[in-house]
Amino acid sequence: AIAHLIALSGQAITIDYGPFRLAAALLYQGAWAAERLASVKDFMGQHEDAMDPSVRAIIAGARSLSAVDAFEGQYRLAAARRAADAEWARMEFLLLPTVPTQDTVEEVMADPIARNSRLGLYTNFVNLLDCCGIAVPAGFRDNGLPFGVTLIAPAFCDMALAPVADALHRAGAFGMGQARDGVLPQSSRVEHVQDDGRIDIFVVGAHLSGMPLNRELMGMGGLFRGSAETAPDYRLYVLPGTKPAKPGMVRCPDAGARIAGEIWSLPADAFGRFVANIPAPLGIGKIVLDNGRSVSGFLAEAFAIQNAKDITSFGGWRAYMTAHPSAGSGQG
């Protein structure tokens, strides 16, 4: 599945799954069992014997939880969320196995609580960390059983995630359910929304894919249009004192260079909200790309780069950050 996404122009990075696993464990091992009890406590008081034994055991265990346990659970979730946010700053979406193993019905019946909890190793955090996800087939194992993966992103990124999941599903001979040779019909293809009231924006810094502020674009329904470069008329600087670290780009027609960036698109109303929240000395102006196209994008006020470090020679913010990783702390 990773190889297929790379072939679709994706870039694979390794992340720390620890924070997500900690959050997943809270779903059954923490105070959230009390939320289940709250929803069915009246029924349990009258018909507890009618409940599935495994479900009853999980929910009944919440009777021993206290208000202190509930608050401590929230604190543990908040800590896991902060750690997970650091990983989200490095990626656009997670690619995970849908399940970690494939149990037989007999194995699940013999130990239903432990087996079902393990089956949720890669999914139980999704609700608690407020994410969206799409599960897709990803081929077959050597023993003939099917294998699937789940693409997971922050909440409200469904529109951006769906075309990627659809493309992955179509990237190999994954079939459709029992129809192992089945081919998805073209009529069901999920396309990126094209120019339907959307506005393109050219980004060169912290809003690039995998950078700390990219989630702002994703959260507003941003769609990745592709990589691009400016015309050879711009210079790039490190803006001092910004956290996360940000660059400032200015136009210098007689002494500029090409600067690498990305084109994203936003719904028109989201574009307005996005622009309104951009802090000085940055703003949105018209940028000329190397193909002659003019597009809205980030520019800096001239005064902001008077004592700033010139990083034009790197050709872009990503190259500079790779060479100076400590700049991400805002010290670069």
Side-chain angles (χ1 to χ4, degrees), residues 55-319:
V55 175
R56 181 177 65 235
I58 293 172
I59 297 178
R63 288 171 172 157
S64 63
L65 295 172
S66 68
V68 173
D69 294 320
F71 279 102
E72 289 180 340
Q74 291 183 47
Y75 301 153
R76 287 194 291 271
L77 178 60
R81 186 188 300 276
R82 286 193 299 271
D85 284 344
E87 300 304 314
W88 278 121
R90 304 171 52 220
M91 61 183 168
E92 294 178 53
F93 60 85
L94 274 165
L95 175 71
L96 297 172
T98 299
V99 292
T101 187
Q102 293 169 311
D103 296 322
T104 65
V105 174
E106 291 76 15
E107 289 171 334
V108 173
M109 294 300 293
D111 192 5
I113 295 179
R115 295 277 181 172
N116 276 286
S117 179
R118 186 172 62 173
L119 287 176
L121 177 65
Y122 298 118
T123 53
N124 284 348
F125 71 88
V126 173
N127 283 349
L128 291 176
L129 292 183
D130 201 18
C131 300
C132 64
I134 303 176
V136 296
F140 299 89
R141 298 173 58 187
D142 292 340
N143 61 7
L145 293 177
F147 176 77
V149 294
T150 303
L151 284 69
I152 300 169
F156 308 115
C157 294
D158 310 65
M159 289 178 60
L161 194 63
V164 180
D166 181 73
L168 176 59
H169 193 176
R170 297 173 188 275
F174 299 152
M176 294 189 295
Q178 293 182 342
R180 298 195 175 199
D181 298 326
V183 178
L184 293 174
Q186 285 296 110
S187 59
S188 68
R189 183 179 293 276
V190 181
E191 300 285 358
H192 286 289
V193 178
Q194 297 291 330
D195 301 326
D196 183 14
R198 303 180 70 88
I199 300 175
D200 286 347
I201 183 169
F202 183 71
V203 299
V204 295
H207 287 90
L208 292 167
S209 302
M211 294 292 178
L213 299 183
N214 182 254
R215 289 183 64 191
E216 292 182 358
L217 289 172
M218 297 281 284
M220 289 188 172
L223 298 178
F224 177 69
R225 296 297 198 195
S227 300
E229 286 188 336
T230 68
D233 299 333
Y234 296 86
R235 301 200 70 80
L236 195 66
Y237 299 82
V238 179
L239 296 178
T242 55
K243 292 185 179 181
K246 302 181 186 72
M249 189 171 72
V250 296
R251 189 174 187 186
C252 302
D254 299 325
R258 289 182 173 85
I259 304 299
E262 295 175 349
I263 299 175
W264 288 71
S265 75
L266 289 168
D269 60 338
F271 180 87
R273 296 195 305 273
F274 181 78
V275 172
N277 289 328
I278 295 174
L282 295 173
I284 298 296
K286 289 299 182 182
I287 294 172
V288 180
L289 303 181
D290 61 352
N291 61 4
R293 179 188 173 195
S294 180
V295 63
S296 297
F298 279 87
L299 290 170
E301 296 182 69
F303 82 89
I305 54 93
Q306 291 178 359
N307 298 310
K309 180 180 180 180
D310 190 327
I311 59 171
T312 306
S313 61
F314 287 89
W317 184 244
R318 195 183 300 279

